[in-house]
Amino acid sequence: MTEMDYKYTLLSSDSEDCQKRPFLFHVDNNNQMNLFAVLEVRRDNYRRWGGLPCFRKAKVYSIGLGLTVMSLVMASYILTGEKKGLLITPSPYQYSTVNNSGLLNSHVTDLSFLFNLSSVRDYTNMKLVVKTITSNIEFSTRQLPDLKDLVKYEQHMFSIIPSTFLPNVKNPCWYEEYTGNITADPYGTNLYALYSKRFRTVFDYLRNAFREHLYRQGNKYYRFRCLPYFYIIGQPKCGTTDLYDRLRLHPDVRFTTFKEPHWWTRKRFGIIRLSEGFHDRYPVEDYLDLFDLAAYQIQDHSQLNSSRSQNKRNIVIGEASASTLWDNNAWVYFYENATAEGEPPFLIQDFIHAVQPNAKFIIMLRDPVERLYSDYLYFGIANKSADDFHEKVSESLQLFESCILEYSMKSCVYNTTLNNAMPVRLQVGLYIVYILDWLTVFDRNQMLVLRLEDHATNRKYTMHKVFDFLSLGPLTEQKEAEITKSPASNTRRQADKNLGPMLPATREILKDFYTPFNARLAQEFKNDSFLWEKKSKFM
């Protein structure tokens, strides 16, 4: 699993990359500056001056002009008493933008704890930061969007996916008229097929099998399309890969051609090229192609409009993008309006519910303190250590505090700029915030919430819960043993194990931060094991 297939950022050609890369400037404790402001400068191409006198004259003029501009700016800054910080050359990542862009219109003011890198080790100050955050926590309800508004932003998706599916078929499947040339490559433009050489073999098979699975009625051809019956969602480093590897061994379960398509969260929006004024989108057809391999195994060529179409093998199709639960980071680039509190007007689950309201979801969670450290070790590139993790946690907490002092807790959790700025992903461990928003559109009986700690202690127990949740058929003892007794997948690398545990001070600070969120989660599901205060307790 990768942290992200791409970052939402400015993309430019290689020749321009050096010139357009933004710089982040830190300030000391005596200069108040918006923590979300980005000072961006351009690296001009190096120019050789024709002679030394010309160079000196230009240098003098430049210094004089610079001092004049600085004096005017500082005079204005002092006279107006402005406390929001100076902003030069606005960046698309800054916390404040024009109103009609859909980004948050916000400047953080009156920060109670401006920091520099020398203060992040101050344990007492960090405890105060966490206390400030937890005292401002409020779990609010969200306003559900209208279907017509959802359709407005995803017209193509709603035109491809029907409002009803084939009866007596467990999966959400339908027959779609195929209007293309049946001799042409149906996957030639699929962006997933072009994504990596790793998928070439799978798509070669799909190409060869495509025409034999077309259904002909009169002069028209139809193809069998399906959406997932269930999704494995949330959270990164919580055991979703291990659950996926075990569940795909079940004879009645099929997955997409690879584990994490990330279509609902990232590929549906595409790679943003703001500097060039356009972006790439993975169309819904590309996503549906990933289920063709599974669809071929449950396809029934009975009469197209017949209600007798049967799924004789009782196969269920799943998808396992761990980002589906929490990653709404692209919303600021594509939606025109935020809510009054600066929250996204639409979430991933709104669109999923609109097209398949009966979907099922398996949510894997873990002690958020341990999840964050595992996340840091897995995705960190260099100079990883317990001390470095502590500094990154401290910086992230202070950024989160600066936001929550000004805005609602939910708007900070979904704030794209804040999420991109934090060195570690604190927000991913705020499970209850995301789950409560999912429960606004889906019933609780459509969700199975598991703990990694329970899964690691007794895999047979958790796998049986999953089998029952998906209404899967019984297994032979041999097959069940194969599923439950195989070694764990995606465990911590030895090099990361050698770094040892996080510092006790870091653990205590993070525990204080996550405690109120865990308490609300335990209350919602009436299960104290979500407090993560004791060892494994079966749910």
Side-chain angles (χ1 to χ4, degrees):
M1 179 183 68
T2 57
E3 179 181 5
M4 290 186 71
D5 292 307
Y6 51 83
K7 290 285 187 181
Y8 299 107
T9 181
L10 287 177
L11 297 181
S12 59
S13 64
D14 294 339
S15 62
E16 297 175 342
D17 183 68
C18 181
Q19 300 177 26
K20 293 185 177 181
R21 189 178 300 128
F23 291 87
L24 292 179
F25 288 82
H26 296 283
V27 295
D28 57 30
N29 288 335
N30 297 322
N31 295 316
Q32 296 204 9
M33 180 173 286
N34 186 344
L35 292 178
F36 300 111
V38 177
L39 302 183
E40 182 178 334
V41 297
R42 292 185 181 275
R43 292 185 178 94
D44 291 328
N45 291 330
Y46 182 81
R47 299 178 181 177
R48 297 183 179 272
W49 292 86
L52 186 59
C54 179
F55 173 78
R56 288 177 177 173
K57 181 180 291 187
K59 184 176 181 180
V60 171
Y61 288 158
S62 298
I63 293 175
L65 180 60
L67 290 175
T68 301
V69 173
M70 183 180 298
S71 299
L72 291 174
V73 172
M74 293 305 297
S76 174
Y77 181 77
I78 295 171
L79 291 174
T80 58
E82 181 61 51
K83 301 301 181 183
K84 297 179 181 179
L86 303 178
L87 180 61
I88 304 174
T89 312
S91 161
Y93 317 113
Q94 69 194 44
Y95 198 65
S96 163
T97 63
V98 293
N99 290 334
N100 63 359
S101 69
L103 304 185
L104 296 181
N105 182 21
S106 55
H107 277 299
V108 178
T109 61
D110 300 326
L111 301 182
S112 65
F113 188 82
L114 287 169
F115 66 96
N116 56 37
L117 293 181
S118 64
S119 67
V120 296
R121 297 179 183 274
D122 190 328
Y123 173 78
T124 303
N125 283 337
M126 292 315 305
K127 295 284 282 188
L128 292 175
V129 167
V130 172
K131 185 176 181 180
T132 301
I133 294 173
T134 55
S135 64
N136 284 274
I137 292 175
E138 182 179 353
F139 297 99
S140 59
T141 57
R142 63 184 292 257
Q143 182 177 356
L144 296 180
D146 293 331
L147 178 60
K148 61 180 179 61
D149 294 326
L150 297 175
V151 174
K152 173 184 175 182
Y153 286 97
E154 288 290 350
Q155 295 182 20
H156 181 68
M157 180 182 74
F158 285 100
S159 68
I160 297 299
I161 301 176
S163 57
T164 59
F165 303 112
L166 292 174
N168 302 319
V169 178
K170 196 171 186 179
N171 298 275
C173 299
W174 67 98
Y175 280 100
E176 172 189 279
E177 183 179 355
Y178 185 72
T179 57
N181 186 342
I182 64 171
T183 62
D185 180 5
Y187 305 105
T189 60
N190 186 293
L191 293 177
Y192 283 107
L194 302 174
Y195 177 73
S196 172
K197 294 181 180 179
R198 291 183 298 138
F199 311 136
R200 184 172 297 172
T201 301
V202 175
F203 278 98
D204 284 344
Y205 172 81
L206 291 176
R207 290 184 184 95
N208 295 330
F210 176 75
R211 278 173 285 280
E212 67 180 272
H213 287 278
L214 283 177
Y215 171 69
R216 183 172 181 176
Q217 187 179 50
N219 294 325
K220 294 182 178 181
Y221 289 92
Y222 297 86
R223 65 191 301 188
F224 194 64
R225 312 310 305 262
C226 294
L227 283 170
Y229 172 72
F230 71 95
Y231 296 81
I232 297 177
I233 61 177
Q235 292 289 59
K237 310 313 298 175
C238 289
T240 56
T241 300
D242 187 75
L243 177 62
Y244 163 81
D245 285 340
R246 296 179 191 282
L247 194 52
R248 66 178 180 168
L249 295 176
H250 196 289
D252 294 334
V253 176
R254 300 291 184 273
F255 280 97
T256 46
T257 55
F258 52 96
K259 177 179 179 281
E260 296 183 289
H262 293 300
W263 187 79
W264 290 102
T265 58
R266 301 167 190 172
K267 300 297 193 293
R268 183 166 57 96
F269 295 106
I271 302 174
I272 301 169
R273 292 189 175 99
L274 295 177
S275 60
E276 302 175 26
F278 69 92
H279 60 275
D280 294 335
R281 290 173 66 96
Y282 282 53
V284 65
E285 292 93 337
D286 287 15
Y287 180 59
L288 295 175
D289 287 346
L290 303 183
F291 301 99
D292 278 1
L293 191 61
Y296 291 164
Q297 299 177 58
I298 64 174
Q299 185 174 8
D300 181 5
H301 282 167
S302 60
Q303 290 296 321
L304 179 62
N305 297 319
S306 172
S307 61
R308 293 177 294 177
S309 178
Q310 298 290 324
N311 176 7
K312 297 178 180 179
R313 295 189 59 179
N314 199 34
I315 291 174
V316 296
I317 303 174
E319 203 253 63
S321 300
S323 62
T324 305
L325 180 66
W326 65 275
D327 189 357
N328 286 274
N329 278 343
W331 76 269
V332 293
Y333 301 109
F334 293 90
Y335 302 148
E336 293 177 357
N337 300 308
T339 64
E341 289 293 333
E343 300 167 12
F346 313 115
L347 296 175
I348 294 162
Q349 54 266 36
D350 298 328
F351 293 98
I352 297 179
H353 182 267
V355 297
Q356 51 177 142
N358 297 318
K360 293 193 172 187
F361 304 91
I362 303 172
I363 302 175
M364 289 288 286
L365 304 178
R366 176 187 188 178
D367 181 348
V369 176
E370 294 296 336
R371 192 219 70 82
L372 187 64
Y373 190 50
S374 180
D375 195 68
Y376 162 81
L377 293 177
Y378 186 83
F379 294 116
I381 299 175
N383 301 321
K384 292 181 289 187
S385 68
D387 287 335
D388 180 67
F389 177 65
H390 180 83
E391 291 189 2
K392 285 179 166 55
V393 167
S394 299
E395 184 178 346
S396 299
L397 285 169
Q398 292 169 89
L399 287 168
F400 196 88
E401 179 207 29
S402 65
C403 180
I404 206 168
L405 284 173
E406 191 75 14
Y407 300 98
S408 71
M409 185 266 295
K410 188 179 294 186
S411 66
C412 293
V413 170
Y414 288 118
N415 185 292
T416 301
T417 302
L418 176 62
N419 291 343
N420 289 339
M422 289 192 295
V424 290
R425 302 191 293 183
L426 288 173
Q427 80 283 2
V428 176
L430 305 180
Y431 309 138
I432 186 60
V433 178
Y434 305 108
I435 290 176
L436 287 177
D437 283 344
W438 277 79
L439 288 173
T440 61
V441 291
F442 288 101
D443 292 335
R444 190 170 305 180
N445 60 12
Q446 292 176 257
M447 297 183 182
L448 174 63
V449 184
L450 302 172
R451 297 194 326 152
L452 174 60
E453 292 82 359
D454 298 328
H455 181 65
T457 302
N458 192 330
R459 297 188 186 99
K460 184 175 180 179
Y461 166 78
T462 55
M463 294 310 300
H464 272 280
K465 293 201 70 171
V466 172
F467 298 156
D468 292 342
F469 178 68
L470 300 178
S471 301
L472 299 178
L475 295 170
T476 64
E477 292 185 6
Q478 181 180 0
K479 193 62 179 179
E480 182 176 300
E482 179 186 356
I483 293 174
T484 60
K485 294 183 179 181
S486 58
S489 301
N490 204 22
T491 57
R492 186 169 296 179
R493 296 169 294 220
Q494 186 59 46
D496 293 336
K497 292 180 180 179
N498 295 338
L499 297 176
M502 71 184 80
L503 299 175
T506 316
R507 184 184 303 277
E508 184 175 347
I509 289 169
L510 286 173
K511 182 179 179 182
D512 290 346
F513 171 69
Y514 285 117
T515 289
F517 298 96
N518 295 341
R520 183 67 179 83
L521 182 65
Q523 177 187 1
E524 182 68 26
F525 289 96
K526 297 179 175 59
N527 190 329
D528 288 344
S529 67
F530 288 120
L531 297 173
W532 280 283
E533 293 179 344
K534 300 177 182 179
K535 293 185 178 181
S536 176
K537 174 182 177 182
F538 291 160
M539 299 162 56

